[in-house]
Each structure stands twice: as structure tokens, then as C-alpha cells.
Amino acid sequence: MPRPSLHSATITLKLPVDMSAPMEVAALRAAGIPVDDLGNAMSGFLFVRFSDGWRGDSNIFRWFPTPIERSANQPRIRNTRPARGLSLVPKG
């Protein structure tokens, strides 16, 4: 059974691995993804799944217009000290 999706990408783009960086940036911009000259998202969140050469020869770019945040029902991790500590000094 597939896991439920918490977020759906607004734009998903599949590009060949052998594209040059300038061509990749141009393709991302043509698709409507706001990226700088290095291909970094200027707004939102850009997730890239790079090809491993085994399953395919393309990279997948998924752009979300707003940052992905923790779901309200997921527990938050708290950085707190334990109430009591154990002594690691041997007795005897």
C-alpha cells in the first residue's frame, strides 16, 4: 500500500542526465520554476532526485511553491535534558 502524500509538487520536470547546466537552468525557467543562474530555487522548495544510472538516465525536479513544513500531527523533537542521569563510574 503506498504511503499517503503530504504535499503535491506544483511542477514536476524530468530532464536528461547529460544536459549542460545552462540548458538545465533554461529548462527549469521555461517550466516556470524560479531559479538563479546556478539552478537554486529563489522561492519555494526545489527537490531533485538525481539518476543513479541504474533505474534511468534522467533527473527529476519537483518544485513546491511554499516551503515544506512539518505536519501538525507529527511529533516535534525536543532538545531537552533527561530528568535524571546515570553515573558511569564503576562502584567497588
Side-chain angles (χ1 to χ4, degrees), residues 5-91:
S5 176
L6 297 176
H7 307 282
S8 296
T10 300
I11 299 173
T12 301
L13 199 60
K14 190 174 183 179
L15 299 176
V17 172
D18 57 356
M19 280 185 91
S20 68
M23 288 174 55
E24 197 172 85
V25 169
L28 293 171
R29 287 179 177 163
I33 301 173
V35 293
D36 60 13
D37 292 336
L38 297 175
N40 298 316
M42 294 171 30
S43 67
F45 176 75
L46 182 61
F47 172 78
V48 184
R49 176 174 288 160
F50 294 104
S51 171
D52 59 4
W54 179 260
R55 287 180 240 147
D57 57 353
S58 58
N59 296 328
I60 298 173
F61 297 82
R62 301 186 76 203
W63 181 68
F64 302 84
T66 57
I68 297 176
E69 297 178 6
R70 180 188 321 267
S71 173
N73 60 0
Q74 284 183 323
R76 294 184 181 258
I77 298 174
R78 294 189 183 134
N79 189 10
T80 59
R81 292 184 170 193
R84 292 187 307 180
L86 297 175
S87 175
L88 299 177
V89 178
K91 295 182 180 179

